[in-house]
Amino acid sequence: NRLAATALQNIPYAAIEPQLVTGSSERLMRSFSRRLGYLDTSTEAAGIVRKWLGVGGLLEKVSELNDLGRAMFENVAPVAPEEALAALERALLEPQGDEAAKECKKYCDLLRSLAYDAVLFERAVALLVQIVTAEDVNAQAHGTQVFVSLFHLVLSGTHASIEQRVAVIERLLASPDEKPRALGVLALKAVLEALHFHSVSSFDFGARSRNFGYWPRTREDVQHWFAVSLRLVETVACSDGPAAPQGRAAFAEQLRGLWLGAGSGDEISRVCSAIREIRFWPEGWLAVRQT
């Protein structure tokens, strides 16, 4: 990597492009893009990648790329995450975005990596939602699992705050369309999970130094996470919105784990009482008895 970065300083890209990129074999282009992907601290590498990902660039139309193009795009994305996200937005937010979403299913893991930084979280998640909801929402589908994993307390792969994540869930649950609401319910269950966590993707992203995402350091951090999550539950479950029944069912499903692992007994009791005041809640009654 050090030698490659030095080479880019000494050899102008204008001399590299005609010989190495446009006139070389697929194997060499793939190898060159992979090496670039490890040079996120190189100004020259970043310039090349931004040119490739920009309008009129080699990798401009990410939804229309062949297998080589997709591999190159995924290889260089760590060098310029914001430009990679912008390229995906150009494809998915245009009028033909629904068709592009079907072609972009292979980028779900990449979008999860782009969601690592809190400042890019909402944009990356919005694209994931579009990709997943382009077809029926299946809890076992890889894209759905990648999306849901971003809302776990640990091993989420993102440093977005609980407030950011809850805001996304709230928008999904308020959607008039059934598919986003179904995705919102799965995300709601994820933020309420207190006992069982696992990863669905790798946390590596080029040569960037990364960890498993947000990880609570104190008991107070855990309690804050679930306090914010339970306030969302109360808002949804006590409303007359279309997602209210699913919200109450999701809370009941996670109630035992919350009681055992969240350390928020008073908050849980308060939300249960709030639901009880507006209606009989059979799922909650059963969940309390089982707990």
Side-chain angles (χ1 to χ4, degrees):
N1 290 338
R2 180 180 60 79
L3 291 174
T6 302
L8 289 178
Q9 291 174 353
N10 296 331
I11 306 174
Y13 180 65
I16 297 174
E17 185 173 23
Q19 300 180 48
L20 185 60
V21 179
T22 57
S24 65
S25 67
E26 289 190 2
R27 176 180 174 276
L28 198 56
M29 291 175 69
R30 190 186 298 262
S31 177
F32 181 55
S33 67
R34 182 170 176 80
R35 183 57 51 202
L36 283 178
Y38 288 105
L39 304 179
D40 57 275
T41 60
S42 165
T43 302
E44 292 75 19
I48 294 172
V49 172
R50 291 191 181 99
K51 181 178 179 180
W52 282 6
L53 296 177
V55 176
L58 182 66
L59 304 175
E60 172 194 6
K61 299 180 179 179
V62 294
S63 63
E64 301 176 12
L65 297 175
N66 58 18
D67 289 343
L68 172 63
R70 283 195 292 268
M72 292 176 65
F73 175 54
E74 292 178 345
N75 284 343
V76 302
V79 179
E82 191 157 358
E83 285 75 11
L85 187 57
L88 286 164
E89 286 175 331
R90 284 198 305 271
L92 290 166
L93 300 182
E94 63 181 11
Q96 294 78 29
D98 290 342
E99 289 300 318
K102 297 176 183 178
E103 298 297 324
C104 291
K105 287 193 295 184
K106 295 182 179 180
Y107 298 136
C108 287
D109 289 321
L110 173 59
L111 280 166
R112 177 179 178 269
S113 296
L114 293 173
Y116 177 85
D117 294 314
V119 294
L120 300 181
F121 176 78
E122 286 92 347
R123 292 169 60 191
V125 164
L127 299 184
L128 264 176
V129 169
Q130 186 162 345
I131 291 172
V132 173
T133 57
E135 299 176 348
D136 290 336
V137 176
N138 179 357
Q140 303 305 316
H142 180 67
T144 305
Q145 292 182 346
V146 168
F147 172 82
V148 170
S149 71
L150 288 167
F151 295 86
H152 282 147
L153 173 62
V154 297
L155 297 177
S156 65
T158 178
H159 282 277
S161 67
I162 180 58
E163 288 80 7
Q164 285 179 279
R165 303 189 217 195
V166 161
V168 170
I169 298 172
E170 198 165 11
R171 287 194 295 270
L172 290 173
L173 293 176
S175 172
D177 297 329
E178 184 178 351
K179 290 180 182 179
R181 288 203 306 272
L183 206 55
V185 171
L186 293 174
L188 178 62
K189 292 180 184 178
V191 295
L192 294 176
E193 180 59 59
L195 296 178
H196 306 293
F197 304 98
H198 66 278
S199 171
V200 298
S201 302
S202 168
F203 297 96
D204 294 333
F205 196 51
R208 289 181 177 271
S209 177
R210 287 198 160 182
N211 53 30
F212 299 130
Y214 172 75
W215 203 284
R217 297 184 177 183
T218 65
R219 185 175 182 82
E220 287 71 26
D221 290 342
V222 175
Q223 290 175 336
H224 173 70
W225 173 281
F226 288 109
V228 175
S229 302
L230 288 168
R231 283 198 293 272
L232 172 63
V233 170
E234 183 177 6
T235 300
V236 174
C238 296
S239 72
D240 56 359
Q246 293 99 318
R248 291 190 290 268
F251 180 38
E253 184 178 327
Q254 299 291 63
L255 193 145
R256 183 173 184 273
L258 284 167
W259 190 266
L260 295 176
S264 303
D266 291 342
E267 288 287 326
I268 295 168
S269 298
R270 183 183 58 76
V271 177
C272 288
S273 297
I275 298 173
R276 182 194 61 193
E277 288 178 5
I278 64 168
R279 61 178 295 122
F280 176 57
W281 182 34
E283 307 101 323
W285 185 83
L286 289 171
V288 170
R289 296 279 293 178
Q290 289 167 353
T291 302

